[in-house]
Amino acid sequence: MLLKVSGNIQNTNVDAQLLLDRAMLDDLEGRALVTDTPWHSQASRFEGPLLRSVLESAGVTTDSIRVHALNGFVADIPVADVYRYDVILAMKQDGEAMSVRNFGPLFVLYPFDDHPELRNESVQFRSVWQVDAIEVP
């Protein structure tokens, strides 16, 4: 299991949660995104499912989600963001699976280079790395 989605969701597979492994995430609609980030020294190619695809697979109908990282960091993300922008849940960087040491296993990534208005502190705060769970209030 790579990602746990829990809370107010319609589609579950284990104990009122949706548990997704790498293969299940790979099966969702995805995107490759080449972008600079505030945390990397140069642009990289990131790949992973669109975050909206993850939320749709869970049957999320709320206005916000809470994303949890392995280190205890938590950020609220407006669901509108994932429909306005092609936000991905990056699993690969430059063709390699992302390790915990390098922002993995999952990284909420906004298309910073495509939308300069995303280069602000609020969006950077929502760009959670080392994601392991999404809680739906």
Side-chain angles (χ1 to χ4, degrees):
M1 191 268 313
L2 202 55
L3 178 67
K4 174 177 75 173
V5 184
S6 63
N8 187 14
I9 60 174
Q10 297 176 358
N11 305 320
T12 63
N13 60 4
V14 177
D15 297 329
Q17 304 172 100
L18 181 62
L19 303 182
L20 300 166
D21 61 20
R22 186 170 296 278
M24 296 162 93
L25 289 167
D26 277 336
D27 285 343
L28 297 175
E29 180 185 0
R31 173 148 190 239
L33 171 65
V34 177
T35 192
D36 275 310
T37 78
W39 310 281
H40 296 88
S41 60
Q42 62 186 22
S44 291
R45 183 176 197 271
F46 296 93
E47 299 171 61
L50 289 164
L51 186 51
R52 67 177 162 257
S53 296
V54 174
L55 300 184
E56 288 167 0
S57 72
V60 172
T61 59
T62 60
D63 292 337
S64 70
I65 58 171
R66 181 163 286 156
V67 179
H68 295 259
L70 292 169
N71 66 359
F73 181 79
V74 177
D76 291 333
I77 298 176
V79 170
D81 277 10
V82 306
Y83 287 96
R84 185 175 301 126
Y85 305 106
D86 285 339
V87 180
I88 66 170
L89 199 54
M91 299 191 309
K92 291 182 181 177
Q93 180 180 1
D94 296 326
E96 300 291 325
M98 296 178 71
S99 68
V100 171
R101 174 172 245 176
N102 292 313
F103 296 83
L106 302 169
F107 179 18
V108 174
L109 190 61
Y110 284 74
F112 292 108
D113 286 358
D114 295 341
H115 300 277
E117 71 273 17
L118 296 173
R119 292 193 177 275
N120 64 68
E121 196 170 299
S122 295
V123 173
Q124 289 175 15
F125 184 81
R126 298 175 194 152
S127 300
V128 181
W129 55 80
Q130 297 179 337
V131 172
D132 69 338
I134 296 173
E135 177 188 354
V136 183

